[in-house]
Amino acid sequence: MKKELIDVIFASDRRKDVLLYLQDGAKETEEILKNFQTTRQSILPQIRILEEHYLVFHYDDIYELSTIGKVIVDQMSPLINTIDVFGRDIDYWGTHNIDCIPPDLLNRIYELGCCDLIQVPLHLLFDEDEQFLEEAKNTDSLFIVTSFIFPNYRKFFAELIANNVNIKVIFSQDIYEKVRRDIPEDIHHYLETPNVQFYLYHGNFKFLSFSYTNHAVLIRLLNLEGNYDNKRLFCSGNSARGWAKDLFEYYLKDSIPITEV
């Protein structure tokens, strides 16, 4: 009697992992054994179940996904990777507002990969993240969407400008009104700096900020009560950067360039 297909795939981590492993192409038995560091007696009965359900076929000691297997695995990967992203820090994601992320990017949240959840001391709550700062110094571009200004921003910007880093910042309505009122000379100075561009988003964000460079992404979400706590996410990798770029573009399309104070 055949198993339900969902049980064939998900009731066994080994069968699930074999399907994902074969997504890259056909593999010889020895490759499979080496990858999973196991024996024929251990893994072949599980692969046989996949064969019996037409997910895998085998020839000349080679295993390959069937057409049905390819269709299913192509759908599996995003789901499993999404579960991995949320599951790694489910208490964080479950207690913070993610409505600020548009639906199409929520569906691609798996592109963030394995992020590090950073908890900072309360007295450093609004300071820039040192790890991200070092990354930003060694990149060619920095993109920021923010509803706050951290205290040491002058030093931070000076170091980046000295390193010829191109900076683009999208301000929320509230924070731009505040900096224009309190420190107009700073805005004027940066507007005259060739590699700095400021934009105004007509509205306020439902997050504190997010930033990205060539290789890293820093996200500060608000909790469900609308407050910022001492937790932030640090993500890295090309797919995370691509995801962050699309989120930046999402807010940029409804923003206008700031050309004068």
Side-chain angles (χ1 to χ4, degrees):
M1 182 177 177
K2 292 187 182 299
K3 299 173 180 287
E4 292 288 338
L5 202 54
I6 195 165
D7 290 333
V8 171
I9 297 169
F10 290 107
S12 163
D13 285 341
R14 181 52 55 87
R15 291 195 294 268
K16 170 176 66 69
D17 292 343
V18 167
L19 289 171
L20 293 171
Y21 181 58
L22 294 178
Q23 188 177 26
D24 293 335
K27 301 288 191 300
E28 293 184 354
T29 303
E30 288 303 319
E31 291 181 82
I32 297 172
L33 297 178
K34 183 177 180 181
N35 180 73
F36 291 102
Q37 298 181 337
T38 188
T39 63
R40 286 175 179 263
Q41 293 81 0
S42 174
I43 201 169
L44 290 186
Q46 300 302 325
I47 298 179
R48 196 167 296 118
I49 293 173
L50 298 176
E51 288 184 81
E52 290 171 354
H53 290 79
Y54 311 105
L55 300 176
V56 167
F57 60 86
H58 121 265
Y59 54 91
D60 299 331
D61 212 30
I62 292 174
Y63 290 90
E64 186 174 359
L65 291 176
S66 68
T67 300
I68 294 173
K70 289 175 182 176
V71 171
I72 289 175
V73 173
D74 284 347
Q75 300 296 318
M76 281 171 55
S77 294
L79 172 62
I80 290 171
N81 292 335
T82 298
I83 291 171
D84 286 344
V85 168
F86 285 139
R88 182 180 173 95
D89 296 299
I90 189 60
D91 287 336
Y92 177 81
W93 290 107
T95 57
H96 287 75
N97 188 346
I98 58 175
D99 292 342
C100 55
I101 303 172
D104 62 317
L105 287 175
L106 271 179
N107 289 334
R108 292 167 46 202
I109 198 79
Y110 59 86
E111 294 179 11
L112 286 177
C114 292
C115 300
D116 294 324
L117 181 61
I118 300 171
Q119 300 191 50
V120 298
L122 290 178
H123 70 281
L124 299 177
L125 195 61
F126 293 99
D127 283 2
E128 189 50 87
D129 181 83
E130 287 297 327
Q131 182 181 2
F132 187 78
L133 175 57
E134 289 305 312
E135 162 63 28
K137 289 180 187 176
N138 296 295
T139 189
D140 56 25
S141 299
L142 170 65
F143 301 84
I144 302 170
V145 183
T146 187
S147 58
F148 88 110
I149 296 290
F150 48 88
N152 60 339
Y153 76 91
R154 290 187 181 93
K155 178 176 180 293
F156 178 47
F157 272 30
E159 292 176 346
L160 296 179
I161 291 168
N163 284 5
N164 295 313
V165 176
N166 294 308
I167 304 168
K168 290 187 177 182
V169 183
I170 301 175
F171 292 106
S172 67
Q173 183 81 45
D174 282 355
I175 194 60
Y176 178 67
E177 293 300 331
K178 178 176 173 56
V179 297
R180 187 173 68 169
R181 180 181 66 249
D182 296 347
I183 46 173
E185 66 281 0
D186 283 17
I187 296 292
H188 183 75
H189 167 70
Y190 291 124
L191 289 179
E192 293 185 337
T193 304
N195 52 331
V196 177
Q197 292 175 276
F198 287 161
Y199 300 87
L200 173 62
Y201 180 83
H202 285 298
N204 294 305
F205 309 124
K206 295 180 181 178
F207 56 88
L208 191 68
S209 73
F210 84 88
S211 315
Y212 77 95
T213 67
N214 287 6
H215 305 291
V217 181
L218 186 68
I219 302 172
R220 293 181 174 93
L221 296 175
L222 300 176
N223 62 28
L224 295 179
E225 289 72 43
N227 301 314
Y228 177 59
D229 52 25
N230 64 330
K231 301 179 181 69
R232 57 189 70 162
L233 287 172
F234 182 90
C235 316
S236 59
N238 288 335
S239 64
R241 183 188 185 279
W243 186 92
K245 178 179 182 293
D246 289 345
L247 185 58
F248 184 88
E249 294 291 338
Y250 172 81
Y251 284 102
L252 182 63
K253 67 181 174 58
D254 292 323
S255 303
I256 60 171
I258 299 171
T259 56
E260 59 183 18
V261 181

